[in-house]
Amino acid sequence: MLIKCFFAGFGGQGVLSMGYFLAYAAMKEGKEVTYLPAYGAEVRGGTAHCTVGISDEEIASPVASEPEYVVAMNQPSAKKFQNAICSGGMMFINSTLVTEPPQRGDIEIVEVPASGIAEEMKNIQATNLVMLGALVKKTGLVSLKSLELSVEDAFSAKKKLIPVNLGALRRGWEYLD
Amino acid sequence: MAEAAIRAGCRFYFGYPITPQNEVAEYMSEHMPEAGGTFIQAESEIASIYMVLGASVTGARAMTSSSSPGISLKQEGISFLAGQELPAVILNVMRGGPGLGNIAGCQGDYFQATRGGGHGDYKTIVLAPGSVQELVDLTGVAFELADKYRNPVMILADGLIGQMREPVVLPEPVKHLPEKDWALRGAKGRPSRFSRSLILNVRRMEEHNWKLQRKFREIEANEIRFEQYLLEDAKLVVVAFGSAARVAKGAVKRLRKEGLKVGLFRPITLWPFPHKKIRELANECSEFLVYELNAGQMLEDVKLALSGSAEVFFYGRPGGVIPTPMDVAKIIGSRYYQRIKRKAK
Amino acid sequence: MKKIYGRPKYLKPRKFHYCAGCGHSLVHKMLMELVDELDIADRVIGVAPAGCAVLAYDYMDIDIVESAHGRGPAVATGIKRSVPNLVVINYQGDGDLAAIGTAESIHAASRGEQIMTVFINNGIYGMTGGQMAPTTLEGMRATTAPKGRDPRREGYPLDLSSLLAQIPGVVYAERVSVSTPRGIRQTKKALEAGLRCQLDGEPGLALIEVLSMCPTNWKMSPLDSCKWMDEVMSKKFQVKVLVDRRTKAIKKAASGNVD
């Protein structure tokens, strides 16, 4: 089974690293994975998106055609990519910033006030991890444990950042039932 | 790729920034010195290829990487490397073109790469990886072939392979590099040597060029690589390389599930091109579909190989649009129904 | 009887193909004398340019690699970085160094590559047949400036050596001329100073610009060429040390008076 997950938002929201953490965790679980980032011409601001493919067999294309899951970190992304999701798929929206959720009846909308939660934690930079925690809880794409290992590996050069990022991940995980 | 190059014994990287392959230079700038090698960000693509030439003439393994517009600039030096019979590895992460184009996945440099690319009668060995793992594996192969034949080798990847990440298994570091009895390192205990490409005497120039050609024939005889996928009973053969082949493979897989007898032939060496193998496939199958992310370049090689012995249909996307396996499956499927099912009736 | 002069050991026993009155052969000869005198034949490597001196390997009995027009400093960089112990002589002409290879010249200097560039400046493109060079003087005729160089039309002559001398990565730069016996002796001294920069491990590039005659393309006799060099060309491109940032050589010379 091949699952495609698409992440979109402003550049600087940690959209690319969100995808990378997920792909890395899936790789550690022995899955076939692809990770394809895309950037606008700007380095900050602008749009950023990336696609993660997770499968039990070789993945033909790293490009998302009709992704099962779309994570929209801001309003423009939610609007732009609402029609990309395959029928029956899910859209995760950062409800702090996305005030007008898509109006599609055949997909499930999962609202996570990721920016709000991160702000409460006084760590707005960890917004992406809050969202990722929620995504993984809902979809079961990988285990929380693998995701935690993935974050620990990524921050191995800046160890003091690990606890706060793991905290954010857990807050996201706990936000959804 | 960068780590694979270091593990293949490459100790010199000279480059100039251009998207989408800056990760290679950034990695090299950090890790090449750790491996006891040298990284230089040169003032231009042209300077960087000549720095490669300088390091190569001393017998070291050296490489550069760039993307289409930068590769055009490097072609002058690649011609000199070929003329002076110096090994080098050049990575081209193709982008859309002509001109600045875009940074999406495109395969528009096929002609430039496989026909030599610069001025003069020469060829570069061209390797086309279909995944990040294969990019890593072919990097080691590229350095071996470059040294074996004293010829530049180009790894022709595209924006998709260049930007995506996949898990890879890295090879063990190479322990023994080949002896190079032709290298220039100062005339210590031997007569002095020179390395040149200027040969004014026409007979000697011809002799040199025939020698190069003999070498190219030898490469054609020994180094052709390709992948065959579900070709045994195929009624339609899809021919594609690089990331296009990867998408085509997904399409073929889908169509097989629906009972269509389609298969994939993927050249890994674009030069030398597996002409003979494709001609052989035509004995069993009379329908070919070439799929490329350009307006039809490898198509010419496939047609040459078949020399009219089978029908060739072309599907291309020259702007950086990457069709999905589903899209490609539709194209292949409709061709299959038009030609094969209809005939069967 | 004592032998006081002979053919340099590392100059191959071959007749030069250069025109009568050309400066290349003098410079070749002096370089090979220095290779012998400094005892570096087993660790010297030459980078030959596109241009008249492309056949340098026919005369110099040392390892030589040919370079494309303008790319000598890049090739020399690759060599020196690969085998730092080598003494690298990068031999270039004026079109080579100051036109097609301007970027390579400037950036090898800015990186402070430990090589010696020998810059043969004759104010004209020799091998291709007398076209205008970046160093062609105002008023001087060339096949592509038939009315003489007019700055409003063809731009001003470019003194790239003086520009290069401003770059901290250049440890030594001197301009000399081979039009007189005195000039020739000074040229040899300059070339020796340039080579010693590498032997002493001076941290940068040595540049020796040699003003050289091209009677054929100047359309003058060899004798007139020398005269024109003395009276005109060396007035525009002044013969002098352009910069001297050597630390070790200066310390040696300062005989204990070092602060």
Side-chain angles (χ1 to χ4, degrees):
Chain A
M1 176 70 185
L2 169 67
I3 303 277
K4 291 268 173 79
C5 190
F6 184 81
F7 298 84
F10 290 127
Q13 274 188 315
V15 170
L16 301 186
S17 46
M18 224 194 295
Y20 183 73
F21 292 146
L22 177 64
Y24 191 88
M27 178 185 89
K28 287 284 180 188
E29 291 187 0
K31 298 276 185 13
E32 290 280 333
V33 298
T34 59
Y35 168 75
L36 182 70
Y39 329 72
E42 313 86 347
V43 174
R44 292 283 177 268
T47 58
H49 47 90
C50 67
T51 307
V52 174
I54 302 176
S55 177
D56 296 322
E57 48 184 309
E58 198 180 340
I59 301 171
S61 171
V63 180
S65 33
E66 290 194 317
E68 281 77 6
Y69 305 119
V70 168
V71 177
M73 296 297 280
N74 61 8
Q75 185 69 58
S77 305
K79 192 160 180 235
K80 190 169 172 194
F81 299 110
Q82 56 177 321
N83 292 328
I85 308 174
C86 75
S87 190
M90 272 181 215
M91 180 177 253
F92 289 77
I93 56 171
N94 176 9
S95 55
T96 317
L97 300 181
V98 181
T99 47
E100 295 170 37
Q103 300 295 322
R104 250 181 84 177
D106 64 334
I107 59 170
E108 188 179 342
I109 308 288
V110 183
E111 301 192 11
V112 183
S115 298
I117 294 174
E119 252 168 272
E120 258 172 48
M121 298 179 69
K122 305 217 179 323
N123 189 8
I124 189 74
Q125 276 140 318
T127 307
N128 57 345
L129 287 158
V130 175
M131 181 57 100
L132 195 57
L135 170 80
V136 169
K137 174 79 168 280
K138 182 85 183 172
T139 61
L141 281 170
V142 293
S143 71
L144 181 63
K145 186 82 206 130
S146 329
L147 208 51
E148 284 173 346
L149 288 175
S150 155
V151 171
E152 281 168 15
D153 279 2
F155 288 98
S156 60
K158 296 177 195 162
K159 283 212 163 56
K160 64 175 186 209
L161 292 175
I162 293 176
V164 51
N165 281 297
L166 289 182
L169 198 59
R170 200 159 275 279
R171 280 292 297 273
W173 174 272
E174 285 160 359
Y175 178 79
L176 294 181
D177 304 322
Chain B
M1 189 275 166
E3 180 58 33
I6 293 173
R7 290 183 183 214
C10 175
R11 288 295 174 269
F12 295 90
Y13 174 90
F14 307 104
Y16 183 82
I18 181 169
T19 311
Q21 56 79 52
N22 295 321
E23 292 77 4
V24 178
E26 288 166 9
Y27 188 91
M28 289 294 194
S29 69
E30 187 177 344
H31 296 280
M32 195 53 112
E34 288 170 10
T38 297
F39 162 88
I40 296 180
Q41 179 177 325
E43 60 271 27
S44 69
E45 298 297 357
I46 302 173
S48 65
I49 191 77
Y50 284 99
M51 290 177 189
V52 168
L53 189 147
S56 176
V57 84
T58 68
R61 283 191 166 175
M63 72 165 292
T64 183
S65 66
S66 189
S67 175
S68 309
I71 295 292
S72 293
L73 287 171
K74 287 188 198 295
Q75 291 297 350
E76 178 195 271
I78 298 173
S79 169
F80 276 75
L81 285 162
Q84 289 172 242
E85 292 196 82
L86 294 174
V89 172
I90 302 117
L91 168 67
N92 179 3
V93 182
M94 285 183 282
R95 48 194 264 175
L100 273 180
N102 61 23
I103 57 166
C106 232
Q107 300 182 321
D109 300 353
Y110 179 91
F111 281 149
Q112 188 197 48
T114 56
R115 268 58 180 168
H119 60 283
D121 248 338
Y122 75 95
K123 296 281 189 187
T124 46
I125 298 171
V126 184
L127 306 171
S131 67
V132 180
Q133 179 68 56
E134 200 177 29
L135 174 61
V136 163
D137 297 340
L138 289 179
T139 299
V141 172
F143 281 102
E144 293 300 325
L145 291 177
D147 279 349
K148 183 175 173 191
Y149 294 104
R150 293 180 58 184
N151 205 64
V153 176
M154 180 173 286
I155 300 177
L156 194 67
D158 55 56
L160 200 63
I161 304 268
Q163 289 182 50
M164 74 186 286
R165 296 193 194 188
E166 286 184 293
V168 292
V169 180
L170 287 163
E172 284 299 305
V174 172
K175 296 228 169 56
H176 301 288
L177 294 178
E179 283 290 312
K180 293 177 180 175
D181 56 10
W182 46 264
L184 307 188
R185 299 173 75 90
K188 193 172 188 174
R190 59 160 171 82
S192 62
R193 296 181 183 139
F194 55 82
S195 169
R196 65 167 179 185
S197 59
L198 178 95
I199 304 169
L200 292 172
N201 180 306
V202 289
R203 285 190 189 285
R204 282 207 196 132
M205 183 79 238
E206 189 171 301
E207 208 176 283
H208 178 69
N209 277 339
W210 284 129
K211 180 179 160 228
L212 292 182
Q213 292 303 322
R214 282 193 296 276
K215 179 169 84 178
F216 297 147
R217 298 295 88 77
E218 195 188 328
I219 297 170
E220 284 172 336
N222 299 328
E223 307 299 345
I224 288 175
R225 289 168 183 249
F226 52 82
E227 182 195 351
Q228 304 185 83
Y229 180 67
L230 305 177
L231 286 177
E232 298 73 28
D233 59 343
K235 300 245 187 285
L236 186 150
V237 177
V238 179
V239 188
F241 72 96
S243 59
R246 182 189 178 111
V247 174
K249 197 176 193 179
V252 164
K253 217 181 269 182
R254 272 169 199 252
L255 293 168
R256 278 278 171 176
K257 279 184 195 150
E258 293 173 22
L260 273 63
K261 291 185 174 169
V262 292
L264 172 72
F265 183 80
R266 178 172 72 96
I268 297 171
T269 49
L270 300 183
W271 190 88
F273 190 76
H275 286 104
K276 209 189 269 176
K277 189 69 209 172
I278 289 183
R279 181 72 188 78
E280 280 169 28
L281 291 175
N283 294 335
E284 308 295 326
C285 176
S286 60
E287 291 292 329
F288 284 73
L289 189 152
V290 177
Y291 165 51
E292 295 178 79
L293 300 174
N294 60 40
Q297 300 195 10
M298 180 179 69
L299 173 65
E300 292 192 4
D301 276 330
V302 174
K303 282 184 173 169
L304 270 175
L306 292 170
S307 313
S309 60
E311 287 287 325
V312 186
F313 182 78
F314 176 69
Y315 177 59
R317 299 303 294 263
V321 173
I322 313 280
T324 63
M326 182 72 99
D327 296 337
V328 178
K330 278 179 199 152
I331 302 291
I332 301 170
S334 64
R335 182 75 187 165
Y336 189 88
Y337 278 104
Q338 286 165 26
R339 305 292 304 183
I340 293 151
K341 288 281 178 173
R342 192 176 293 169
K343 260 188 231 164
K345 282 173 195 166
Chain C
M1 253 203 329
K2 196 175 152 197
K3 187 174 173 184
I4 55 164
Y5 187 78
R7 189 177 188 85
K9 189 172 162 194
Y10 296 102
L11 201 60
K12 290 181 182 172
R14 217 173 255 157
K15 231 169 103 181
F16 283 119
H17 74 285
Y18 299 115
C19 309
C22 168
H24 274 308
S25 40
L26 284 166
V27 179
H28 284 15
K29 187 195 78 172
M30 285 186 278
L31 281 172
M32 290 307 101
E33 284 172 356
L34 286 166
V35 163
D36 192 14
E37 288 161 23
L38 298 173
D39 195 20
I40 52 172
D42 60 353
R43 63 178 184 115
V44 68
I45 186 161
V47 179
C52 296
V54 66
L55 298 174
Y57 49 73
D58 274 350
Y59 314 115
M60 302 188 193
D61 196 6
I62 58 171
D63 277 8
I64 288 185
V65 56
E66 204 176 86
S67 154
H69 208 207
R71 319 298 175 220
V75 174
T77 297
I79 294 170
K80 187 72 179 188
R81 297 292 186 111
S82 175
V83 192
N85 186 40
L86 286 176
V87 176
V88 182
I89 302 173
N90 169 44
Y91 197 100
Q92 292 190 276
D94 40 35
D96 191 2
L97 179 131
I100 194 170
T102 313
E104 283 82 353
S105 304
I106 290 179
H107 287 274
S110 92
R111 288 190 304 268
E113 296 296 343
Q114 295 181 35
I115 58 175
M116 174 171 80
T117 292
V118 179
F119 168 25
I120 306 294
N121 179 4
N122 55 20
I124 202 111
Y125 281 75
M127 197 184 215
T128 46
Q131 292 85 358
M132 190 185 74
T135 50
T136 296
L137 300 183
E138 280 180 46
M140 193 173 157
R141 282 171 200 270
T143 54
T144 49
K147 291 180 181 161
R149 184 174 200 158
D150 178 347
R152 283 173 305 173
R153 199 172 45 224
E154 283 99 10
Y156 293 92
L158 182 62
D159 179 359
L160 198 68
S161 296
S162 296
L163 285 174
L164 290 171
Q166 293 175 27
I167 298 173
V170 174
V171 289
Y172 188 75
E174 181 174 355
R175 183 183 290 126
V176 290
S177 152
V178 286
S179 56
T180 61
R182 188 161 161 248
I184 292 170
R185 282 198 296 275
Q186 184 54 35
T187 301
K188 189 167 170 190
K189 277 186 200 153
L191 291 170
E192 181 174 349
L195 284 169
R196 282 196 186 277
C197 285
Q198 285 181 73
L199 299 176
D200 294 344
E202 294 285 356
L205 185 141
L207 169 70
I208 310 300
E209 175 178 340
V210 182
L211 299 178
S212 173
M213 297 74 67
C214 183
T216 305
N217 286 302
W218 289 359
K219 307 204 180 350
M220 293 180 195
S221 73
L223 216 57
D224 288 346
S225 296
C226 291
K227 204 172 154 209
W228 188 79
M229 171 73 79
D230 291 342
E231 290 170 2
V232 183
M233 191 160 170
S234 60
K235 297 287 182 290
K236 299 284 178 194
F237 289 105
Q238 285 183 8
V239 170
K240 61 181 179 186
V241 174
L242 300 167
V243 75
D244 188 353
R245 297 189 182 91
R246 290 174 300 171
T247 48
K248 287 160 190 159
I250 293 169
K251 276 180 192 161
K252 262 186 223 162
S255 62
N257 195 11
V258 184
D259 51 27

